[in-house]
Structure formats: structure tokens, C-alpha cells
Amino acid sequence: MTDKELPATVAKKLLNNDINTTCPYCGVGCGITVSRSSSQSAYPVVINGDKHHRANFGKLCIKGKNLAETLDNNNRLKAPQIYNKVQKWSRALDFVASKINKSIEQHGKESVGFYVSGQLLTEDYYVANKLMKGFIGSGNIDTNSRLCMSSAVSAHKRAFGEDIVPMSYSDITKADLIVLVGSNLAWCHPVLYQQIREEKSRRPALTLVVIDPRETASTELADLHLPIKAGQDITLFNGLLNYLHQHGYINTALLTSVDKSGLAQALINAAQDSQLLAATGIPKHAIEQFYQLFANNSKVVTLFSQGINQSKQGTDQVNGIINCHLVTNKIGQLGSGIFSITGQPNAMGGREVGALANTLASHIEFTDTHLHAALATFWQTNNLAKSEGYKAVDLFDAVESGKIKVLWIMATNPLVSMPGHEKIKQALKKCPLVIVSDCVASNDTLNYADVILPAQTWGEKSGTVTNSERRISRQRSFLSPFGQAKPDWWIISEVAKRMGFCSQFSYESVDKIFAEHARLSGLNNKGNRAFDISAFGAITAQQYQRLQPVQWPQPEGRAIRISDQSFFADGHYYHKNNQAKVIAIKSDVQESNPDIFTLNTGRNRDQWHTQTRTGKSALLSQRHPEPEVEINQADAERLKISNGQLVNLEAGDNQIKTQFLLRARITNTQRQKELFIAIHWSASNFNQGCVSKFVKATTDAISGQPAFKHSKVTLKPWQTNSEAMLVVKNLINENLATYQVAQKITGGYCYYLASEETPLAFFERLNRFVKTHPQQLYIQQQNMVLNASDPVKKYFRKSYFVQGEMQATILVASHKDDLPQGWISQIFTFTNSNEGKLNVLSADSKRLQSKRTFCHCLNIDFNDIEQAIASGTVTVDSIRAKTNAGNGCGSCIGDIMLKLKQCGV
Ligand code: SF4
């Protein structure tokens, strides 16, 4: 079936009114206004930024803007399945409930595990946590947010006494100095980055320091870029702490809100680490400049993200940053503090309900015996978990070792996202019962599911999410549910009822869960827990429907505050003595083998996680059609690797070797001996699989967060004899070549292939495949074939038409450079006339090279940018003025700087 045959259906309530909801992607949590589209539109709805939402004030990035393109019902789960057989909901729910009960009976409560997700809504999270900790009686629930921000959580708890992100987005633009560390904000949280851009153009004195091993789109605005060597952040921030101490910037008499018991040791460690600053790889004068800027500005905001968290010393790294803010009182003041920017739309919601294995519930710790008893009463249970469960990596280890016998995975794809890929695969294979509730019909993990439960997707489900600044916003449904898809909270509650917990899970609607969650936050809370939204404990369905975005806390008895609110201005922290703590930390970086590369991972601007949503958009798939590894120019020259060539990455010992072929992108924005790969590809669209194959399951000892940023690999060129593109209308399942990637294009798919065969042999094989493949049967009745091959040049191109419509095109050459680039994504649509199509398809190969969109909002081509640079336009602003690029959502402004770099300007 094609996309058009499976349209999303707009819910009745959208007929007359616009609906305000929240973007399902990153932790910025932008507000969105959804309107019904006109009947001529290709998409069911029109998406705009919500002008009144304080996270984005109407702005959206390219991912948010193009959400309408991702709403088709292709690859959706229609009905529950047990062992690949479609079942009624009642049968599937009975089956799951009885299997969980049986496992508890035979093997104990620790034999059951839940692995949940930052894609769940808070209400889903709440009932999942309640079922596991309150009624199964185990702590074995952990979330994929463990992979992105659990080190920040641990560090907040150590320093502040509770997991509190103290700031609001409005604080960022009030700062005089912004330090961006371990975050490519311009690509990963674009709307926040644009707010910094606007403020900087209003107030040029605002200084931006970017600390990142790579030059990224975020360094474009930077006044100072510190190209730190991977893993050296503690050294840098301990060096800063020592500088502040040595230069008299720490006045202990003023630190009335800080418990100074750890300060002396912290300063000793800092003095020792400051001797190692050369190991950061940052020029001495740049370090000095950064330290002076930090010391001499009172309003400093340090923003950090995965580059800090995803390390085996992630918790210490965060505390290293917090220490510097605490000892200089650069926290709790307007425009001052530290800010953990979360990756997922509702990572914060999971933290609020306590769906991390080491928290009990609602910011209540396992160690708090009084609250433990109160919670048991509140939930009406006598089986409340008494100890922490397995954190994500340990959870899958426990599955692999046979301790966990029933694993329920909700709204996440761990086979792609977890480290230790092979072990995860073995765990899923071995586990006696794997239950997956998800909205998609296929992903890498679903191949191992025994029970599949269809969940509603964004646009269909209702609830709340909390963004990075603690702002709780409604997600409201505007699409009719597809097939038999149900809300996650409903699925979990129905299983719980069938397990015997009827009264405790008899929720009639999602607002009732939110109200209970709010009441729990106020349980025995006399201001001693920061997370308190008890003001909503009696919220009605109508009030919930109209709920405006608000930040926590919102305690009962106080009027609801819509305006921004930040923590610690009153010097009150949440340790027992009400003070914050300085934590003594120490750098622990081992020198690595010089022949081995350090592999860093991260995101591309236009894709989200494993592409299950953004991969449906032809527009979003244009910028990075294939996975690439970024390599420094000097390393590439030494290894004789050319730009665009396929390279082989290898890791592991002689027994277990992991290999990976992917495209080289040679750049001078990458450090030598370090590589970078985006995380978005998986076995579903790339026959080499996912990059997490290289990530060992090494975790931070405190947070349990895996160290995604520092894998060790070797690199060498891979010789191919032919490169190909195969354009088809439908996805294909066959593995056609050593290297194979699928890209969504308008009206179909483009496969990028590479083979050791000669171009002729490869072309003939692909031609046979197209003609004989069952899905392409209609081609056998084709009424036209256009063959534009030139065997002398080893260039082959053949297009098949049925009734004037192109059905498939095969392009094979000996070099990648002879194949089209971005143009291919419009092959089905580049012209309305068949004659036009024929002309272009029969033109010579070079003509097919052109046309690659740079700025999607305003449809500006790469060629326009390159021509502007060639004609002497050499600044970001002048290129914007000349070409208009970057003047829409602004997402590509940083890319103009990268393009200038690439052109050696
Ligand atoms: Fe969505 Fe994040 Fe983009 Fe906002 S910045 S539109 S939340 S992806």
C-alpha cells in the first residue's frame, strides 16, 4: 500500500476549532497549534507554532514544522498480536496479565521488568510505575531516559538534594555569558538556539562560549569555541574551580546556602587536575579567556546535554559544572545557573513520577521510610517495592542471564538505542516472554516480540508532558485512533485490573490519572519536596482540557502561577540542612592507544532518534540521506580516504569483531583521532545496523548512564567497484548489496547501494531484481523502458514506466560522484509533465547532479549558497541577505557557517 492509501483521519473536534498541543520531539517542548487543512492539501492538518506557549512563542524548528508530513498510517500497528496471530484486545490483555502473575508466582516479583520511554505521556508513566512498584512490588522499571539524562539527575540529587532543573528558558536570555557544553543546541534544540541568536543580535555584549570537540552549527554564534578532547570535561571544570580559588573569586563567607564540608577536598582535587589542562587539547590562552569570562560575569548560564551526561564520569562531570556555579553564587539569580537540556519530549515527566529504577515515586526515594508507608496507604497496596530495581543496562543483563522472564517494552526501540547491541539481541531472544506496546508495526525490537500491543501515537493520544524547564503542557488528540490502537495508560491499567488490582486502576479517563499524580506530589509535602503540583489534585475534566502550560511547583493553597518561576533564589536547597553541596570530583581519563579512534555519537538536525517518525518525511530525509562518519582531514589523508568514499569501522577483540561500512565525510570541523556518527540508522533502513553496535555497556557508576561518547574503533578505506541507486515506489525487504541504505523520497524510496561487482554485473543483477520482484510485477507489463546507459563510461541508467508514470529507476556507476545527489529525492515529482521527466531521465548523468535543497523553508538550493561563496560573500549574515537562506525557521543558519568552513573560508 502507498502512503496515500492509509491516511490519518482528523478527529471530529478539529472540524471547528484549532487544537493546541505539544511537539513530540525534543525537550524544548514547543507548543503547537493544529488546524484542519484544506481539501486540496496532501496532509490532513496544518501545523503552526503556538504563539502563546512560553517555550517557543510561535517558533518551530524544521522537525516541528513538518510534523504533518509524518502523520500517515503507514507502518502502524492495527491490532494486538500474540505469537504473530492477531487477537482481540480482551484475549491479549488476559494473556499478558496471566503471564505476569504466573511469572511472579513461579519465579518471584523480580522476574518481571518494564522498560519504558520518554515518549510516553506522564499519565502513562504514572500507571506503569504504580503497577510495577506498587503492585508487582519490584523496582524493575527503568526508562530510556536513563540513556540521556540520568547523570544530570544523580548530580542534581547530590548537589541540590533533589532532582531539580532550577531554571526557566527566560533565564538563558537574561545571562551575560552563556556556556554551552556538550550540546549541539543549534541542531538538537533549535528553537532554544534561535532564542539565543535573537538575544545576541539585540544585545551583542552577550557572550557565548561553546565547549565541544567538534565545530558544529552551534559554534557559528560562539565568541569562543573550546575544542575539548573527548572526555576531558572534569579536567576543564576542575581547572576552572582552581582558577576561581587561586584568583580570589570564592568568598566562603558569602556562601551561606552551601554546605562547605566537601569544599576543601574539591579544591585539592581541582588543584591537582589543573596540572593536567594540557590534556584537554585546548590552547592555553583559550582556557584562560574562558576562565576570565566565567569569573568576571555575574550572570552566567551553563547549558549542557548529552556530551556531558553520556560518559562513564557523567555524574561527576555535571557536579564539576555545578561546583563552579555554587562557589561563585552564580545560581538562583535571574540569568544565572546551570541548565540540563533534556533530549526527549517527556524525559522530565518520567522523572516526576519516579519511573527510574532508583526512585520510588514522585521524587520520593526508597530510603524515606515515612513516605514509603504513606505511599503504600495512598496507593492502597501492601506490596510496595522496598528497594531499587535494575537500571537499563542491568535490566537487560538480568534478562540475558534469565533472572527476568517477562519483559514489557513500551514505546521504545532498545535494540537500536541501547549499548551492547549483541547482548540486547541475545537477551530478547532468550527472554521467555517479550511484550512490546508501540505505535509502529515494525522496528528492530519488534522482531523479537511475543506479544505486540498497538498503542496510540502522537496526534491520537491525550495527556501531559514536561519540558526541560519543568513546564507541564497538554498533548491533545486531533486524529482518530488508527485501527484498534489504545492509549498506553489504558493498556497498562487493563492489564493491572486483570492481575487483580481493579479498584486501584479503574481510571475512566486520563484526567483522573493526572489528578492522582498531582495529589501524590503533595503527599506529606510541606515544602520539603520541590516537585509539588498538588494544586491540580482536584482538577476536573473540563479544567484538564483547558489546562495552560505551567511550570512546577504548583502547591495546593497557592494561586496557580502562569509566569516563569525558578528555584534557589531564596537560598533554599533540598538536603536535610537546606543547603547545597559541593562535591569533590577527580578526573579519571586514561591515555588511549594512538592507533585507535574515539567515536562520538549524536544527532542530525532533521532526524529524530531511530527515524520511526521523521523517516516518513521525504523533506526531513533529504539532508542526510545516508549515514556518514565525520573524519578529520589530516586523518583522512594519512589513511588515504577520500570524501564520500565508503570506509570500514571496526571494534572488538579477535573473537567478537564488529564491523560497519559507512560513508566518509571529511571535514576540518572534527578533531584528529576522533570520529562522529549520527545515531538515527538501524537495521530497519540500513543493512549495517545501528551505531550502538560499537558502544560498550560501560556505565557511570552512580547514574548507570552508558558512556555513548567514547567508543574505541579503527578505521580504514573500503574499496567498492560499483555504486548504485535504486528508486522504487515501495519499501523492499531484500538485501541487495554489501552496503544498502533506504531513504524516503517523495512518492517512494531511494536505495543507496555499493558492491564489489563490476558496474555492468551489478546493473544486470538489479535489473533482474526489479523485473522479477513480486512487488514490481506490473513492470513486466510496462509500456515503456528508458535506457540511458553508457557502457563505455561504466554508467547505467534504466527507468520503467507504466502508463506514462515512472515506476522504478536503476542507476549504477563505478563512482559515487557520477550518481545524482539531492535531486533524486524529487525524481517522482520534479516536473508535472511526463515529457519533462523523460527529458531529464534521458539527459546525461552530470545534469542529474544539481538541485539539493539547503534551506527547506524557503527552498534555497546548495548551489545558491556555493555560488554566493564563490562570488566573495563570506559571512553568514551576508549569505543570508544574498540568498535568503536561514530566514525561515533559522535551523540552517549554523549550516551556512559549516559550509563556509568546508569551502575553506
Ligand atoms: Fe519540536 Fe524541539 Fe523543534 Fe521545538 S525545537 S519544534 S520541541 S523538535
Side-chain angles (χ1 to χ4, degrees), residues 589-627:
V589 176
Q590 320 282 327
E591 268 307 300
S592 64
N593 179 340
D595 292 330
I596 295 196
F597 284 84
T598 298
L599 172 62
N600 185 2
T601 61
R603 290 180 180 154
N604 284 337
R605 193 194 72 193
D606 298 354
Q607 289 295 352
W608 175 255
H609 285 192
T610 60
Q611 294 196 35
T612 47
R613 179 182 295 282
T614 45
K616 289 178 163 199
S617 162
L619 190 141
L620 294 176
S621 301
Q622 266 191 48
R623 175 56 68 89
H624 295 280
E626 294 176 80

Side-chain angles (χ1 to χ4, degrees), residues 23 25-30 60-61 63-64 188-191:
C23 175
Y25 295 125
C26 81
V28 179
C30 295
L60 292 177
C61 76
K63 290 191 284 290
C188 301
H189 302 94
V191 164

Side-chain angles (χ1 to χ4, degrees), residues 201-383:
S201 60
R202 257 194 306 273
R203 199 159 49 94
L206 167 62
T207 307
L208 176 67
V209 175
V210 176
I211 304 169
D212 196 302
R214 301 184 300 145
E215 264 184 85
T216 64
S218 303
T219 54
E220 173 258 326
L221 268 187
D223 299 282
L224 177 65
H225 171 221
L226 306 183
I228 192 167
K229 238 171 140 177
Q232 288 289 349
D233 300 87
I234 291 183
T235 314
L236 182 69
F237 280 91
N238 259 354
L240 173 59
L241 184 63
N242 184 58
Y243 178 94
L244 296 168
H245 179 50
Q246 296 302 329
H247 291 79
Y249 288 100
I250 304 176
N251 184 346
T252 47
L254 296 179
L255 304 181
T256 49
S257 306
V258 178
D259 175 344
K260 291 179 260 315
S261 57
L263 183 60
Q265 187 60 49
L267 291 173
I268 292 168
N269 293 358
Q272 288 168 356
D273 278 356
S274 67
Q275 303 302 310
L276 308 172
L277 281 172
T280 62
I282 306 168
K284 210 171 163 188
H285 65 89
I287 293 180
E288 180 79 18
Q289 196 184 341
F290 166 51
Y291 288 178
Q292 282 174 8
L293 281 168
F294 190 96
N296 293 315
N297 279 287
S298 57
K299 290 185 173 181
V300 182
V301 171
T302 303
L303 289 148
F304 66 95
S305 196
Q306 269 51 309
I308 288 295
N309 294 333
Q310 290 181 332
S311 154
K312 74 179 171 52
Q313 277 193 290
T315 305
D316 282 354
Q317 291 187 162
V318 180
N319 281 118
I321 299 168
I322 295 174
N323 285 347
C324 296
H325 280 265
L326 282 177
V327 299
T328 50
N329 272 327
K330 296 186 205 304
I331 193 162
Q333 321 294 327
L334 190 67
S336 233
I338 64 123
F339 210 143
S340 155
I341 304 293
T342 51
Q344 295 201 76
N346 198 29
M348 187 70 89
R351 290 150 76 170
E352 287 166 3
V353 307
L356 288 158
N358 50 325
T359 307
L360 182 57
S362 195
H363 285 215
I364 301 170
E365 301 299 327
F366 280 99
T367 46
D368 195 327
T369 44
H370 289 301
L371 279 171
H372 189 280
L375 176 60
T377 309
F378 182 86
W379 273 348
Q380 300 165 51
T381 180
N382 54 13
N383 194 25

Side-chain angles (χ1 to χ4, degrees), residues 414-426:
L415 193 52
V416 179
S417 50
M418 283 288 294
H421 176 80
E422 271 311 309
K423 203 168 188 181
I424 303 296
K425 199 191 275 182
Q426 290 313 316

Side-chain angles (χ1 to χ4, degrees), residues 578-798:
N578 297 332
Q579 290 186 314
K581 278 187 183 163
V582 171
I583 308 293
I585 53 161
K586 187 92 183 71
S587 172
D588 175 30
V589 176
Q590 320 282 327
E591 268 307 300
S592 64
N593 179 340
D595 292 330
I596 295 196
F597 284 84
T598 298
L599 172 62
N600 185 2
T601 61
R603 290 180 180 154
N604 284 337
R605 193 194 72 193
D606 298 354
Q607 289 295 352
W608 175 255
H609 285 192
T610 60
Q611 294 196 35
T612 47
R613 179 182 295 282
T614 45
K616 289 178 163 199
S617 162
L619 190 141
L620 294 176
S621 301
Q622 266 191 48
R623 175 56 68 89
H624 295 280
E626 294 176 80
E628 294 171 317
V629 53
E630 288 182 16
I631 308 168
N632 178 275
Q633 206 152 3
D635 289 325
E637 277 166 21
R638 186 168 48 80
L639 294 169
K640 301 193 173 23
I641 293 169
S642 52
N643 195 41
Q645 181 178 6
L646 285 168
V647 292
N648 186 23
L649 261 74
E650 203 169 283
D653 52 32
N654 288 332
Q655 266 111 44
I656 309 170
K657 277 231 183 302
T658 302
Q659 294 199 342
F660 209 54
L661 290 179
L662 71 173
R663 209 64 62 201
R665 181 186 186 83
I666 297 172
T667 169
N668 50 12
T669 58
Q670 175 67 279
R671 284 187 69 91
Q672 279 190 48
K673 303 300 300 178
E674 293 184 14
L675 306 170
F676 177 85
I677 303 178
I679 57 171
H680 310 294
W681 281 267
S682 67
S684 300
N685 50 20
F686 181 31
N687 71 348
Q688 304 294 300
C690 53
V691 68
S692 60
K693 279 160 84 166
F694 288 110
V695 182
K696 282 195 179 161
T698 312
T699 56
D700 178 287
I702 303 158
S703 68
Q705 177 153 1
F708 279 92
K709 301 295 186 193
H710 309 135
S711 306
K712 301 295 176 194
V713 296
T714 58
L715 173 72
K716 60 183 180 207
W718 186 70
Q719 296 309 333
T720 172
N721 288 318
S722 46
E723 297 260 6
M725 284 172 166
L726 172 62
V727 178
V728 285
K729 290 236 165 186
N730 299 302
L731 277 170
I732 51 182
N733 297 321
E734 290 77 359
N735 199 17
L736 295 171
T738 315
Y739 168 90
Q740 176 169 325
V741 188
Q743 179 203 0
K744 177 78 183 88
I745 60 172
T746 308
Y749 297 86
C750 176
Y751 284 83
Y752 296 81
L753 309 157
S755 166
E756 293 95 331
E757 294 157 286
T758 64
L760 175 62
F762 195 26
F763 169 71
E764 286 176 341
R765 193 162 63 77
L766 291 177
N767 196 33
R768 274 195 305 278
F769 170 80
V770 167
K771 290 178 70 175
T772 58
H773 188 263
Q775 276 192 12
Q776 319 292 346
L777 262 183
Y778 47 83
I779 285 176
Q780 291 176 5
Q781 294 106 43
Q782 39 31 49
N783 51 21
M784 200 183 95
V785 176
L786 192 66
N787 194 346
S789 299
D790 184 346
V792 177
K793 289 183 182 163
K794 296 184 181 163
Y795 180 80
F796 301 90
R797 191 168 72 241
K798 200 168 191 178

